[in-house]
Amino acid sequence: MRRFLINGEVSSDDADDFQHLLTLAYRDKARPLCLCKDEGVPMYVAKIGDQLVIKRMPLTGADHDAACPSYEPPYELSGLGPLMGGAIKLDPAAGTAALKLDFSLSKRHSSGAGAVGSETADSVKNDSKKLSLRGLLHFLWHESGLTEWTAHFAGKRHWWQVYHHLQEAARTMSVRQQSLAERLFVPEPFRAEEKAAIEQRRAQALSPLFHASTGPKTLMLLVGEVKEFSSARNGQLVIIKHMPGFRLYLEEPAWRRLQRRFDTELTLWGSNETSHLIAIATIAGSPSGVVTINEIALMTVTEQWLPIENAYEERLLDRLTRMREKMVKGLRFELLRTQPLANVILPEHRPLARALYIVPQGADESFEAALREMIDARPDMSAWIWRTGEAEMPPLTV
């Protein structure tokens, strides 16, 4: 049972009139206070499908009590920490996060083959002042709560939930004072009996791509699950689930770069039939009516939609999702792969919350030094370390 202060009235989430109070708060745009702490932590009421729910404000998870379901682990243990105040700035009054992007949402002229998102940010550049395409996908996933897992979610997380939570998260973000939701398209769950209506809503949502303009061409963001890649005459067609009959065109040079840059993600996806491959892309409309990919990045997620970046994380999450303990998956954002992060955090672990670190084979002394510094900086958390080049996965129950 959780307690909230809603429009001056204290109520619990199991009270008979709780949904009525949420309806009034949603109508009035009132901010409930989570009473996990005496002073209360501001939250907001969101509509997920037909249901009203209370969600935490962007980047406020650390303000909640550690025992509260809205609590989030320390940001400095993941790639989110370096972005705070630079690429991501919280506006407490508006309850939104202002983002700075290192890619454009407009296109002045044809630049030939499309780009592969995060190619330099993940191998050479490590800029905490702007979000790459992959970094934005990570932030959307993080703010959607899709990095969290408890036994309660088993069998209950499907594309319907992913779709609605991504849409809601985008409403709490802005780019150059424009809501990100106005530039983001996430395909709604497809139902054959509503095919015509769904296609009509899709066409309306994507119509800005085809508006005639003498200035820069408008680009939109698309986030969806890849169903398959199909050969085209001079490139590849990226086929997105829940968008039957719709094709995204990727030029051949960009397709070759995509295979090189995201070889790990493609291999993880191909090696496990239960995994999902998520694409985020900036897309443009051509005079012929074809939608083309301007820039693209990929992320592999598990059957439970938890992001993974290698087979070791996949094995770890497979073990953890069978346990009852809450877990939060850490994301890299703009961190280089040569830098450590807490791959998973177990906030409810006792006597201390636990951070789980995976040390890759061949990690150098600078990686080990940075890891020791991260662990020493959090004496309030215990550390679990798996050095993949030396031993099998250590026990998780210690």
Side-chain angles (χ1 to χ4, degrees):
M1 179 187 72
R2 298 182 64 186
R3 295 170 62 248
F4 300 93
L5 181 65
I6 306 175
N7 279 332
E9 183 174 343
V10 176
S11 182
S12 61
D13 56 7
D14 61 351
D16 292 338
D17 64 343
F18 188 68
Q19 282 298 315
H20 175 67
L21 291 174
L22 290 190
T23 300
L24 297 179
Y26 185 75
R27 181 198 65 188
D28 300 337
K29 297 183 178 180
R31 297 206 186 284
L33 294 181
C34 177
L35 298 180
C36 65
K37 289 189 175 179
D38 292 340
E39 64 274 19
V41 183
M43 303 186 76
Y44 74 101
V45 181
K47 193 170 186 179
I48 306 297
D50 296 327
Q51 183 180 10
L52 293 175
V53 297
I54 294 183
K55 299 198 70 174
R56 65 175 171 244
M57 303 274 280
L59 306 171
T60 60
D63 297 337
H64 290 264
D65 185 86
C68 178
S70 294
Y71 172 78
E72 282 187 311
Y75 298 138
E76 63 266 24
L77 294 182
S78 75
L80 182 56
L83 301 173
M84 302 292 289
I88 304 170
K89 290 187 178 181
L90 178 64
D91 183 340
T96 59
L99 312 180
K100 292 182 180 179
L101 308 179
D102 79 348
F103 59 92
S104 179
L105 288 176
S106 63
K107 187 177 180 181
R108 292 190 176 277
H109 54 79
S110 176
S111 57
V116 175
S118 302
E119 186 169 21
T120 56
D122 197 42
S123 58
V124 178
K125 184 176 62 177
N126 185 28
D127 186 359
S128 63
K129 296 181 180 179
K130 292 184 179 181
L131 275 172
S132 67
L133 198 59
R134 186 196 67 169
L136 176 60
L137 180 59
H138 281 188
F139 190 55
L140 280 165
W141 224 255
H142 174 272
E143 287 300 301
S144 297
L146 296 171
T147 57
E148 301 175 16
W149 183 261
T150 71
H152 174 72
F153 296 154
K156 299 177 183 178
R157 184 176 282 179
H158 307 287
W159 183 251
W160 187 94
Q161 288 80 15
V162 174
Y163 160 74
H164 283 289
H165 285 288
L166 286 174
Q167 292 278 72
E168 184 58 40
R171 295 188 186 101
T172 69
M173 304 174 192
S174 65
V175 177
R176 294 187 175 181
Q177 300 182 328
Q178 181 185 26
S179 172
L180 183 66
E182 297 177 18
R183 304 295 289 273
L184 175 67
F185 178 76
V186 183
E188 64 179 285
F190 183 78
R191 299 167 298 280
E193 64 274 15
E194 297 182 33
K195 180 176 184 292
I198 290 173
E199 290 181 346
Q200 176 61 33
R201 288 193 290 270
R202 180 203 305 159
Q204 184 174 359
L206 297 179
S207 62
L209 296 177
F210 301 98
H211 288 170
S213 173
T214 56
K217 181 187 291 289
T218 296
L219 301 180
M220 291 185 67
L221 283 159
L222 181 144
V223 174
E225 180 184 358
V226 175
K227 180 179 180 180
E228 62 180 310
F229 298 98
S230 176
S231 296
R233 182 165 295 179
N234 294 304
Q236 287 284 316
L237 298 177
V238 183
I239 301 171
I240 302 294
K241 282 190 177 181
H242 301 287
M243 298 177 70
F246 190 89
R247 304 290 185 268
L248 294 168
Y249 178 68
L250 182 66
E251 293 185 351
E252 186 62 32
W255 165 241
R256 291 194 295 268
R257 291 198 300 275
L258 183 75
Q259 291 176 291
R260 291 194 301 270
R261 163 62 186 84
F262 293 102
D263 174 70
T264 298
E265 287 78 5
L266 291 165
T267 301
L268 284 171
W269 176 52
S271 64
N272 189 334
E273 292 185 358
T274 64
S275 65
H276 311 274
L277 186 65
I278 305 300
I280 181 170
T282 55
I283 56 176
S286 68
S288 63
V290 174
V291 177
T292 62
I293 292 174
N294 189 66
E295 187 172 350
I296 184 170
L298 301 176
M299 176 178 75
T300 310
V301 299
T302 67
E303 181 180 10
Q304 298 84 10
W305 304 90
L306 296 166
I308 51 174
E309 65 176 38
N310 54 52
Y312 301 109
E313 282 194 345
E314 185 177 34
R315 288 177 58 190
L316 176 59
L317 294 186
D318 180 64
R319 188 85 59 89
L320 289 171
T321 51
R322 300 178 189 180
M323 302 169 63
R324 297 191 61 84
E325 202 167 1
K326 178 181 177 179
M327 55 160 286
V328 182
K329 176 67 179 64
L331 291 175
R332 190 164 293 278
F333 293 87
E334 308 304 328
L335 282 182
L336 305 179
R337 293 181 185 269
T338 55
Q339 296 174 275
L341 79 158
N343 300 81
V344 178
I345 290 180
L346 306 178
E348 298 175 351
H349 190 81
R350 295 296 177 264
L352 294 175
R354 174 168 286 184
L356 281 62
Y357 301 93
I358 297 177
V359 179
Q361 297 185 42
D364 59 17
E365 182 54 37
S366 64
F367 185 100
E368 293 284 358
L371 177 60
R372 289 194 297 270
E373 185 178 336
M374 290 179 70
I375 294 173
D376 291 344
R378 300 300 311 195
D380 56 325
M381 304 185 75
S382 61
W384 176 97
I385 303 174
W386 178 15
R387 289 184 167 82
T388 60
E390 299 176 6
E392 278 299 298
M393 187 189 307
L396 291 166
T397 55
V398 178

